[in-house]
Each structure stands twice: as C-alpha cells, then as structure tokens.
C-alpha cells in the first residue's frame, strides 16, 4: 500500500510539473509569437505599415546596426539635419513605410506618433499613456519621479515641487554664478598662456560646470562628494545605453558579465555616497543646524512635513526613494543643461552674427557687468537662441509611452500592449511644420515666443509636456542663460579646424568627438 501511495504521489508530482511546464511554455509562446502577431494584424488593419515581425528580436538587430553605421559617419560641419545620425532607424523606416508606421522593439510594436493633437493627448492623459517600466539594469542609473506612475508620482511630485519654486531657483543663482566663474577663469588662464586666443575643448568643461552646479545646489557644502557621484553616474549612463540597444532577457542581470558587475558596483558606490550625505544632513536638521536652501534640504524638509501631516511614514519618501531622487537630480539636471550649452555654443561659433547680437544684448542689459535674476529674464535674443538650439538639438531625441488599455490615439484605435514613440527630433525638423528652412538655424522663429512659433500646437517639446513636463525646466533655462551671458561677456568664439561634427545619442544628444573651439579674450 505504501509503495502504491509513493507511485501515485510520484505521478501526481510529475503531472503538476508537466502542467506547469505547459503553462509556462504557452505563456512564452504567447509573448514571443501569438500576441505580437495579433497586435501586428490590428495595426496593419488600420493602415499602419512596418517590417514583418521577426521572432523575439523584432527590429532590434537592424536598429543596433543602424546606430553603429550612423556613428561611423560624421556630418558636414554646417549640417544641422541631425535626424539621420541621431535616429537613423526611424528615418529609414519612415522612408520605407511612410509617416504612419511602426517598428518592433523585440516582441512589442512601437507606433510613431507625429500628429500634434495626438501628442498633446498622450501627454495630458498620463494615466492612460504611462512610461514603460525600466528594466532592472536601466533602473541602476536613476528612477525617481520621472519613472513613477499614478499615486506614487503625484506624491513625489508634491514633495519635490517646493524645490523648484521660482523663489528657490532665484536663491540658487549664486551657486550657478560661482561654478561658472570657476569655468571661465580656467578658460581665461588657458588663453593668457597662449596670448589672446587658444583652442579649448569646451565639452568636458561644460559637463564639469553643470555637475558642479547640481552638486552645489543639491548638496550645498558637499559638492566635492557630488563631483565623484557625477563621474560614476556618467559611466553608468554609457552602460545603460548599451543595455537598451540589446534585447532584454529576464534574469540576464544576474549573469556575472563584466558590464553587469560594473553596473552593480557603481550603483552600490553611489547609493553609499548619497546615503552618507543624507544621514549627515538628517542629523544636522534634527539638531537645528542644517542648511535647507539646497535641493536636498528642501526635499528632506518637504518630506518631513508630508510625513507629519499624515502621521505616517508610508505617506513620505523612504531613504532609498530620496537617494533615487538625488540620482535623478544629477542625471537629468546635469545632462540637459550641458548638452543645451554645448550645441548653443557650437551654433553661435558658426553664426557669428547671432553671437554678436547676443553679446550686444548681454552687455546692454548688464551694463555694470553684474548678472542678476531679473536681467536674465530680460534676455530676449539669448532666449530665442536657446530655444532654436533646443529645436535643432533637443537633449533627448524621443519620448515613449505604453498603452495600458484599448484606447484611441488620434484617428487610431490601439490595443493595450502597443508602445508609442513621440520622435522629438523628427518633429522639430519637420518641414511641413517649420517650413523649408526647418533644418536651418533661425532664432527669429521664436521672436514672439514659443506659443506664436508653434501656433499653439504641440510641435516643440524639448522638456516633454502636459502635467509631467520636466520639473527642472525653469532651473535649466536660468542656468543656461547665466552661463551663456558670462561667456559672452568675456570671449568671442569660433569653431576650431579640428572640430568634427558628430552628434550622437548617449541617452542625451552629445558631441561624439568633443567641441574644440577657438576662444578669443575680449
């Protein structure tokens, strides 16, 4: 009898194992084949075109190859039509299939959305159109408010908002001024050693400047530690972009590859460093000695108020979440402004008439040489130039969303599971929107402001749009105006003969071979 029971039990276990195997095999087959084919049929039925689905990989191999090919071919130095280099696969797909098209990110179809009203809807209905979940490897760079949804996003945004009020930004102006003074002093020293002019690769300096600004405005007196965090985050970004251009396989992060080990090592170091800064600050705040004027101080104070208001720690941010927000300050704050400044200076090096007009305005507004917040807001020509730079060289080339339930996007009825891509750089360069001179540098487009230039349509969105528009937009623009004004007060600049025009996508749009300029002391 005992033996019979053993046999029955053995059969039962084998049966359960077989059923489990069949269930997982079906799920895998559905994920890899049946569901993609069903979605493809739905998209084609509505007139959308794209490559036929290839098992598991979709268009990923072609996508990666197009980036590598584009990266190997620099542009003509006067060419601002950067789309074929920054978003080559999207450009090729549109040429092949027309504007109403889709691509395959593995087994997920991604529809290109280019209709301004549809884009506005996607931004405004953020509960329906959510940000795709980060893979475990990409999460190592930063999460924070930019990646959260629904209640968690609302709570984090509420806690962070006080840090970006205009009065708080105004109080951070001195930190921006100090960081910029250090940078231009180094340039002046380099020029003095050579006489009246010299070649300087401005790209690493601008990265260091914006890193110092974030370090000072986020961590106050701990900005030296902030510098080390930035260097690690910069390296992490390179690893993340490599990871996003390969097919994500669940569990792959556990493989002991060189990249996986290094990414986890960086994450651990950054966590420890920011955690140490937070611990010191919390102790100082409890002792009544802390500075609450920097971003970290404002964030912690706002977080404590949220917890006190509800009498429950579940309503505030955890230490880990505060760390993630600090990592996001670093990446988003530093990257956005440094790329905006580098492309603006490259454009002004080629368009010396606009450089002269901007300098004349700066010298007129700040006739005593001292920069102040109100004066920065009166720099109309400088603002036009920065907007045109953001149009031609947007910091991020595209934004994507996932559809959470069957819904309409413009004229299309799309099922849950479809991804949406809003190709910023393609819309910013679209001749139907901006005219035949769409790929030319013409700041006068923005002479009457963004609203007039876009005719009120969602065709210019370098910082996103809707309720989830970039929280640091005003801070980034203030920082860029301050830096550009200070540089224009002290130097004229032009492209060096050694400059190679090669914009590349490393999460943000960066100059592949740096930005060597000839600086002339005024």
């Amino acid at each position: 009898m005992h033996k019979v029971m053993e046999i029955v039990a053995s059969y039962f276990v084998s049966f359960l194992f077989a059923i489990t195997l069949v269930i997982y095999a079906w799920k895998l087959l559905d994920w890899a084949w049946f569901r993609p084919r069903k979605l493809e049929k739905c998209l084609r039925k509505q007139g959308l075109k794209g490559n036929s689905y290839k098992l598991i990989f979709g268009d990923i191999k072609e996508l990666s190859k197009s980036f590598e090919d584009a990266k190997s071919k620099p542009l003509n130095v006067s060419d601002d039509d950067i789309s074929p280099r920054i978003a080559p696969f999207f450009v090729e797909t549109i040429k092949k299939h027309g504007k109403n098209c889709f691509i395959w990110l593995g087994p997920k179809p991604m529809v290109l959305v280019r209709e301004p009203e549809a884009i506005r809807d996607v931004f405004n209905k953020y509960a329906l159109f959510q940000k795709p979940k980060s893979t475990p490897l990409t999460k190592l760079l930063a999460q924070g408010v930019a990646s959260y949804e629904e209640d968690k996003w609302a709570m984090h945004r509420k806690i962070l908002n006080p840090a970006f009020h205009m009065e708080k930004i105004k109080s951070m102006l001195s930190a921006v001024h100090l960081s910029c003074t250090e940078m231009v002093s180094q340039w002046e020293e380099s020029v003095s050693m050579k006489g009246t002019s010299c070649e300087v690769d401005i790209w690493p300096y601008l990265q260091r400047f914006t890193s110092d600004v974030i370090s000072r405005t986020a961590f106050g007196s701990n900005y030296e530690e902030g510098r080390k965090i930035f260097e690690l985050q910069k390296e992490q970004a390179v690893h993340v972009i490599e990871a996003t251009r390969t097919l994500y396989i669940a569990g792959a992060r556990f493989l002991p590859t060189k990249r996986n080990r290094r990414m986890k090592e960086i994450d651990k170091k950054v966590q420890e460093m920011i955690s140490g800064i937070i611990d010191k600050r919390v102790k100082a705040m409890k002792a009544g000695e802390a500075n609450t004027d920097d971003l970290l101080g404002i964030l912690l104070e706002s977080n404590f108020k949220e917890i006190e208001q509800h009498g429950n720690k579940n309503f505030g941010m955890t230490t880990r979440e505060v760390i993630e927000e600090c990592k996001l300050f670093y990446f988003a704050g530093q990257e956005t402004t440094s790329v905006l400044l580098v492309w603006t200076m490259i454009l002004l090096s080629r368009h010396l008439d606009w450089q002269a007009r901007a300098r004349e305005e700066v010298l007129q507004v700040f006739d005593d040489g001292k920069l102040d917040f109100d004066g920065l807001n009166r720099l109309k020509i400088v603002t036009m130039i920065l907007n045109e730079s953001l149009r031609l060289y947007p910091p991020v080339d595209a934004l994507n969303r996932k559809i959470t339930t069957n819904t309409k996007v413009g004229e299309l009825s799309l099922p849950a599971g479809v991804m949406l891509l809003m190709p910023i750089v393609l819309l910013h360069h679209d001749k139907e929107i901006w005219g035949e001179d769409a790929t030319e540098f013409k700041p006068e487009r923005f002479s009457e402001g963004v609203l007039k230039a876009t005719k009120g349509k969602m065709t210019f969105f370098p910082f996103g749009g809707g309720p989830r528009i970039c929280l640091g937009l005003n801070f980034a623009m203030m920082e860029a105006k301050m830096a550009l004004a200070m540089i224009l007060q002290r130097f004229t600049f032009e492209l060096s003969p050694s400059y190679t025009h090669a914009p590349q996508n490393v999460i943000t749009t960066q100059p592949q071979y740096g930005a060597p300029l000839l600086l002339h002391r005024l």
Side-chain angles (χ1 to χ4, degrees):
M1 184 67 181
H2 183 67
K3 196 167 185 180
V4 171
M5 290 295 288
E6 277 186 358
I7 292 168
V8 170
S10 175
Y11 274 121
F12 184 67
V13 169
S14 299
F15 176 72
L16 283 179
F17 179 73
I19 290 291
T20 305
L21 205 62
V22 167
I23 290 169
Y24 276 100
W26 170 254
K27 282 184 176 178
L28 181 63
L29 201 56
D30 187 50
W31 171 79
W33 185 252
F34 292 118
R35 183 154 179 74
R37 292 304 301 272
K38 186 180 172 185
L39 292 173
E40 181 176 6
K41 190 178 177 183
C42 175
L43 297 181
R44 292 194 188 282
K45 201 174 176 182
Q46 295 184 73
L48 291 166
K49 294 178 181 177
N51 293 336
S52 296
Y53 173 62
K54 297 186 195 78
L55 185 65
I56 298 178
F57 288 96
D59 291 326
I60 281 180
K61 289 179 181 176
E62 292 84 351
L63 186 74
S64 296
K65 188 178 184 304
S66 71
F67 276 115
E68 288 307 311
D69 289 348
K71 206 174 167 183
S72 66
K73 301 165 193 165
L75 297 174
N76 183 294
V77 77
S78 60
D79 190 358
D80 294 318
D81 184 12
I82 65 169
S83 302
R85 200 169 198 278
I86 292 293
F89 192 71
F90 303 137
V91 171
E92 290 160 19
T93 301
I94 290 166
K95 277 182 187 172
K96 186 177 174 183
H97 298 293
K99 285 188 176 182
N100 295 322
C101 61
F102 62 90
I103 65 166
W104 290 98
L105 280 185
K108 292 181 181 177
M110 179 178 267
V111 174
L112 269 68
V113 182
R114 299 183 59 162
E115 181 58 44
E117 284 311 305
I119 291 170
R120 192 184 298 280
D121 263 2
V122 171
F123 282 140
N124 288 330
K125 296 174 182 174
Y126 57 90
L128 275 178
F129 306 104
Q130 298 187 355
K131 295 196 174 186
K133 283 184 180 176
S134 305
T135 66
L137 281 178
T138 55
K139 279 180 182 176
L140 294 177
L141 180 61
Q143 291 185 74
V145 69
S147 59
Y148 298 140
E149 296 294 342
E150 298 171 350
D151 291 347
K152 191 168 186 177
W153 169 77
M155 186 263 284
H156 277 244
R157 183 90 178 198
K158 180 186 173 188
I159 292 170
L160 287 164
N161 271 336
F164 293 95
H165 284 164
M166 203 53 82
E167 283 307 306
K168 291 292 182 184
I169 290 172
K170 202 171 177 179
S171 71
M172 293 171 189
L173 202 64
S174 57
V176 179
H177 189 275
L178 180 58
S179 297
C180 197
T181 300
E182 288 176 1
M183 179 179 72
V184 295
S185 295
Q186 289 170 338
W187 290 0
E188 284 172 336
E189 197 178 315
S190 297
V191 171
S192 297
M193 286 169 69
K194 297 277 184 177
T196 56
S197 63
C198 76
E199 179 181 296
V200 174
D201 181 359
I202 62 164
W203 175 230
Y205 284 98
L206 290 173
Q207 286 180 298
R208 205 172 303 125
F209 155 65
T210 53
S211 165
D212 277 1
V213 167
I214 292 294
S215 298
R216 283 190 166 107
T217 55
F219 300 131
S221 59
N222 290 296
Y223 82 95
E224 284 293 346
E225 290 175 72
R227 269 186 181 174
K228 293 170 194 165
I229 295 167
F230 162 65
E231 289 302 324
L232 290 167
Q233 286 291 86
K234 187 177 161 189
E235 184 189 339
Q236 193 79 300
V238 174
H239 295 310
V240 165
I241 199 76
E242 286 172 2
T244 57
R245 287 182 183 162
T246 56
L247 180 71
Y248 172 68
I249 299 166
R253 70 185 187 278
F254 298 114
L255 296 173
T257 63
K258 187 179 176 183
R259 186 175 71 196
N260 284 357
R261 285 198 306 272
R262 181 58 184 155
M263 287 181 80
K264 284 169 189 171
E265 188 184 325
I266 291 171
D267 183 55
K268 189 182 175 189
K269 281 184 184 175
V270 170
Q271 294 273 353
E272 286 170 355
M273 290 168 81
I274 297 177
S275 184
I277 293 170
I278 292 169
D279 287 346
K280 283 183 214 167
R281 184 64 63 86
V282 170
K283 281 175 190 170
M285 284 176 82
K286 284 177 179 173
E289 303 163 359
N291 166 31
T292 55
D293 287 338
D294 56 31
L295 289 169
L296 179 60
I298 299 163
L299 169 56
L300 289 173
E301 189 177 49
S302 180
N303 194 37
F304 287 147
K305 282 179 183 173
E306 183 75 7
I307 293 167
E308 277 177 17
Q309 187 184 333
H310 293 91
N312 188 331
K313 279 194 174 183
N314 293 334
F315 283 91
M317 291 188 203
T318 63
T319 302
R320 175 69 196 240
E321 286 170 347
V322 172
I323 290 170
E324 288 302 323
E325 294 299 351
C326 289
K327 284 165 71 177
L328 189 62
F329 282 154
Y330 253 87
F331 180 71
Q334 187 278 331
E335 287 282 322
T336 304
T337 316
S338 60
V339 296
L340 168 55
L341 282 168
V342 78
W343 294 118
T344 302
M345 288 188 70
I346 287 168
L347 286 163
L348 291 180
S349 294
R350 287 172 29 212
H351 299 274
L352 298 178
D353 54 336
W354 279 101
Q355 186 186 142
R357 285 178 67 180
R359 182 176 295 103
E360 188 182 338
E361 179 183 58
V362 168
L363 296 175
Q364 189 179 353
V365 171
F366 303 108
D367 52 0
D368 61 355
K370 291 178 184 176
L371 305 182
D372 60 70
F373 189 78
D374 293 334
L376 293 175
N377 284 332
R378 294 202 306 275
L379 294 175
K380 186 182 174 184
I381 291 170
V382 167
T383 303
M384 285 159 53
I385 289 166
L386 288 170
N387 280 330
E388 182 69 343
S389 178
L390 284 166
R391 188 186 71 81
L392 288 171
Y393 294 83
V396 179
D397 71 309
L399 294 171
N400 57 8
R401 296 290 187 268
K402 64 176 181 181
I403 295 179
T404 56
T405 186
N406 296 359
T407 189
K408 280 187 79 71
V409 180
E411 298 298 312
L412 301 170
S413 294
L414 299 177
V418 170
M419 306 280 285
L420 302 176
L421 184 102
M422 292 160 287
I424 300 174
V425 69
L426 299 187
L427 279 150
H428 283 195
H429 289 205
D430 194 325
K431 290 182 179 178
E432 287 180 22
I433 295 168
W434 300 95
E436 285 304 309
D437 58 3
T439 56
E440 294 173 32
F441 178 71
K442 293 200 168 179
E444 60 266 31
R445 299 176 208 279
F446 293 98
S447 60
E448 295 180 70
V450 171
L451 202 65
K452 194 79 182 240
T454 59
K455 302 184 177 103
K457 293 182 178 179
M458 189 57 78
T459 51
F460 177 74
F461 48 101
F463 293 95
R468 296 196 65 147
I469 194 167
C470 175
L471 198 55
L473 162 60
N474 292 327
F475 180 82
M477 291 301 282
M478 179 274 288
E479 183 185 355
K481 285 179 191 177
M482 166 72 84
L484 197 56
M486 201 178 285
I487 291 163
L488 288 165
Q489 282 177 326
R490 289 163 172 77
F491 304 97
T492 61
F493 44 93
E494 58 189 303
L495 284 183
S496 164
S498 64
Y499 172 73
T500 302
H501 193 41
Q504 67 169 344
N505 185 356
V506 187
I507 299 183
T508 52
T509 306
Q510 302 181 11
Q512 187 176 342
Y513 303 108
L517 303 186
L518 297 177
L519 298 181
H520 309 282
R521 181 81 189 270
L522 282 171

